[in-house]
Amino acid sequence: MFPRRGASEEEVLEELEKKTSEDLTFDSGRILGSMCTYPHPFAVKIIERYIDRNLGDPGLHTGSRKVEEEAVAMLSHLLGLEKGYGHIVSGGTEANILAVRAFRNLADVEEPELILPRSAHFSFIKAGEMLGVKLVWAELKEDYSVNVRDVEGKITDNTIGIVGIAGTTGLGVVDDIPALSDLALDYGLPLHVDAAFGGFVIPFAKALGYDIPDFDFRLKGVKSVTIDPHKMGMVPIPAGGIIFREKKYIDAISVLAPYLAGGRIWQATITGTRPGANALAVWAMIKHLGFEGYKEIVRNAMELGRWFAGELRKIPGVYLIREPVLNIVSFSTGNLEEVEEELKRRGWGISAHRGYIRIVMMPHVKREHLEAFLRDLEAVLRGP
């Protein structure tokens, strides 16, 4: 019921505290299965200071628009592109939808089809439904990466593009993007790389010496990349990113918004009104941490993941789904549903809906949190 009279701030906050007391919080260390994290304190300051900025009306906030362009330029550089075109958007879902929309709009195809791995994020299902694009699913190999030969076998005259994943949601697997790039070039098709998670991990992991293949614009077949600063970039939610190699992709999805303060403004994003503060936070965090700062964050996450995988191997009845590629470790047990239920009862934020439990080494996850989780896991497996 809509209240007739307002309550004091103290009363509202007290009620909110009670209602949200059931939430798990990132700073508790109990959330182990999320690809998001507690935002960096500096990024929080940026949000608080610039919370009123609206990039949906850049004529009012021309400075913020220029900062977003600089943020896109820095992300493009991180992904191996001298000059990219894109936006800071609401997240990987919007970014992926925008890429599919661009591919569809540029293709002269009546019944468009998109080829993507079975490991692809569910956002592509939304994209297919919204845009009238048929999804053609490619099979995976034993290592859970996409079977490139199967992708090639499914290319038809209706194919508008190919999708590869750089850091799958469940296992953190990186597809053979170089092979997909070659395939895309051979058939004259655009390749979109969903690096929503891996985009802020792989460049730094490679710099640390981890053997991970190229996945970005260094490969000529890659025409667009999704990258989410609100994951390992530690920017407050929401802050995703879509980067295109060429301006024609942005032009293909831009519509005129004629009544705004800037005059004839063209919008390429799904949302009209969108938070400028989050784009400013992306810019600020990249400036604040730099490549070396993010490299140290990724170093800790990768090392923690390898240690955790080693500890899991010591527990009878537990097996890894595959060797970790990024800072994600997934494992299973013989009685997984019962194990998941009991671990959740003990307060752990995990999920086993894909047939395994995924633990993501985000910046808020510390070794002591994992040690406590391992103790509980062993206790659950021992039974009463």
Side-chain angles (χ1 to χ4, degrees):
M1 180 181 295
F2 199 96
R4 179 167 295 277
R5 291 184 175 83
S8 68
E9 291 184 3
E10 290 76 13
E11 289 173 319
V12 173
L13 285 172
E14 182 180 357
E15 185 176 354
L16 266 181
E17 284 296 310
K18 290 180 180 178
K19 289 182 180 295
T20 61
S21 62
E22 299 177 15
D23 294 352
L24 289 178
T25 59
F26 289 111
D27 56 2
S28 70
R30 309 293 289 184
I31 298 178
L32 300 182
S34 173
M35 285 183 165
C36 293
T37 189
Y38 196 86
H40 193 284
F42 181 56
V44 174
K45 290 180 181 179
I46 300 297
I47 297 291
E48 290 176 345
R49 181 171 298 186
Y50 301 104
I51 197 167
D52 64 327
R53 309 307 154 94
N54 171 22
L55 282 175
D57 198 348
L60 296 178
H61 304 124
T62 56
S64 294
R65 176 184 59 79
K66 292 175 183 177
V67 172
E68 182 194 27
E69 290 174 353
E70 290 182 18
V72 167
M74 290 190 288
L75 290 176
S76 299
H77 182 259
L78 177 68
L79 298 172
L81 189 60
E82 184 175 342
K83 179 175 176 56
Y85 303 87
H87 288 292
I88 306 302
V89 294
S90 61
T93 292
E94 182 178 359
N96 287 336
I97 292 172
L98 290 172
V100 178
R101 183 166 169 245
F103 289 4
R104 184 203 64 177
N105 288 1
L106 285 172
D108 186 18
V109 175
E110 289 186 6
E111 298 179 355
E113 298 179 355
L114 181 75
I115 303 174
L116 67 170
R118 290 203 175 274
S119 56
H121 189 259
F122 62 79
S123 56
F124 290 100
I125 298 175
K126 296 181 181 181
E129 292 179 353
M130 293 168 67
L131 301 171
V133 174
K134 178 183 177 182
L135 303 183
V136 179
W137 300 97
E139 301 300 327
L140 306 181
K141 299 192 297 184
E142 289 186 3
D143 65 357
Y144 296 93
S145 67
V146 70
N147 185 325
V148 178
R149 292 185 63 182
D150 191 49
V151 172
E152 182 173 17
K154 288 174 175 172
I155 294 175
T156 71
D157 290 341
N158 290 328
T159 303
I160 62 169
I162 299 169
V163 173
I165 315 298
T168 59
T169 308
L171 300 173
V173 171
V174 180
D175 285 329
D176 188 349
I177 308 298
L180 289 175
S181 173
D182 290 342
L183 186 64
L185 291 172
D186 288 344
Y187 284 86
L189 294 169
L191 171 62
H192 172 66
V193 177
D194 182 1
F197 185 76
F200 260 95
V201 178
I202 300 172
F204 311 107
K206 287 169 69 69
L208 290 165
Y210 287 93
D211 185 16
I212 304 172
D214 286 339
F215 74 104
D216 53 20
F217 293 107
R218 292 168 180 83
L219 304 168
K220 298 302 182 184
V222 175
K223 302 302 182 184
S224 56
V225 176
T226 288
I227 177 172
D228 276 3
H230 68 205
K231 293 185 170 74
M232 287 293 288
M234 296 189 298
V235 174
I237 299 166
I242 178 64
I243 311 294
F244 291 105
R245 181 185 290 274
E246 301 168 67
K247 186 174 181 291
K248 68 177 183 180
Y249 293 101
I250 279 284
D251 291 343
I253 57 176
S254 294
V255 298
L256 182 63
Y259 63 86
L260 302 176
R264 292 174 60 83
I265 297 296
W266 292 84
Q267 285 190 355
T269 54
I270 293 174
T271 55
T273 300
R274 57 191 180 96
N278 297 72
L280 301 185
V282 173
W283 181 92
M285 282 303 301
I286 295 174
K287 287 282 191 177
H288 179 56
L289 290 179
F291 191 92
E292 291 301 318
Y294 277 116
K295 189 171 76 171
E296 285 307 303
I297 291 167
V298 171
R299 181 198 303 274
N300 293 333
M302 295 288 280
E303 291 178 355
L304 191 60
R306 270 59 184 171
W307 169 82
F308 183 68
E311 294 301 303
L312 287 173
R313 291 190 191 96
K314 300 175 184 178
I315 303 176
V318 173
Y319 61 92
L320 296 178
I321 301 301
R322 63 151 294 152
E323 290 298 313
V325 179
L326 304 182
N327 49 318
I328 297 174
V329 181
S330 297
F331 68 92
S332 192
T333 66
N335 54 336
L336 188 62
E337 290 184 5
E338 291 83 356
V339 170
E340 177 198 14
E341 183 177 345
E342 179 58 24
L343 287 170
K344 284 185 174 179
R345 192 187 67 79
R346 293 176 180 230
W348 294 104
I350 57 170
S351 169
H353 295 166
R354 290 174 296 269
Y356 49 83
I357 292 174
R358 176 194 72 172
I359 305 298
V360 189
M361 309 300 155
M362 298 302 291
H364 68 271
V365 177
K366 310 300 181 187
R367 180 162 170 164
E368 55 264 32
H369 303 143
L370 296 174
E371 289 173 338
F373 175 81
L374 288 167
R375 287 194 295 270
D376 275 354
L377 176 60
E378 289 186 274
V380 170
L381 290 172
R382 284 197 302 267

